[in-house]
Amino acid sequence: MLWDFELTVLPKEILDFLPWIVNLVEAHDKGSPLLLQSPPHSFELKAPEVGFFNNAWTEKAWLLANPTIF
């Protein structure tokens, strides 16, 4: 099974996500989503129209990249 995702964060959010990403991989390897911890910053999954991966953006990164949407 192909497992791929892209996580877009602000530079100051990167270190906060490192332990969470390790936990995400471990929970996936064990096949137990119940082991997954809450992310350190809220994010939204953006499903692409074409492709086999999902994009996840933290709220602050999305607002910075798309200031005219809101």
Side-chain angles (χ1 to χ4, degrees):
M1 180 173 136
L2 180 64
W3 187 57
D4 188 14
F5 72 96
E6 182 177 320
L7 177 62
T8 302
V9 300
L10 294 178
K12 58 186 168 188
E13 295 173 327
I14 292 172
L15 292 178
D16 296 342
F17 270 97
L18 290 177
W20 182 82
I21 291 170
V22 170
N23 175 252
L24 173 69
V25 171
E26 289 174 345
H28 180 268
D29 285 348
K30 292 177 182 174
S32 181
L34 296 176
L35 296 176
L36 185 60
Q37 300 169 356
S38 296
H41 301 276
S42 61
F43 62 84
E44 297 275 333
L45 287 174
K46 309 294 182 191
E49 293 180 24
V50 177
F52 298 106
F53 62 90
N54 289 320
N55 293 315
W57 289 70
T58 62
E59 183 179 327
K60 290 179 182 179
W62 181 258
L63 291 174
L64 187 63
N66 301 283
T68 58
I69 292 178
F70 297 97

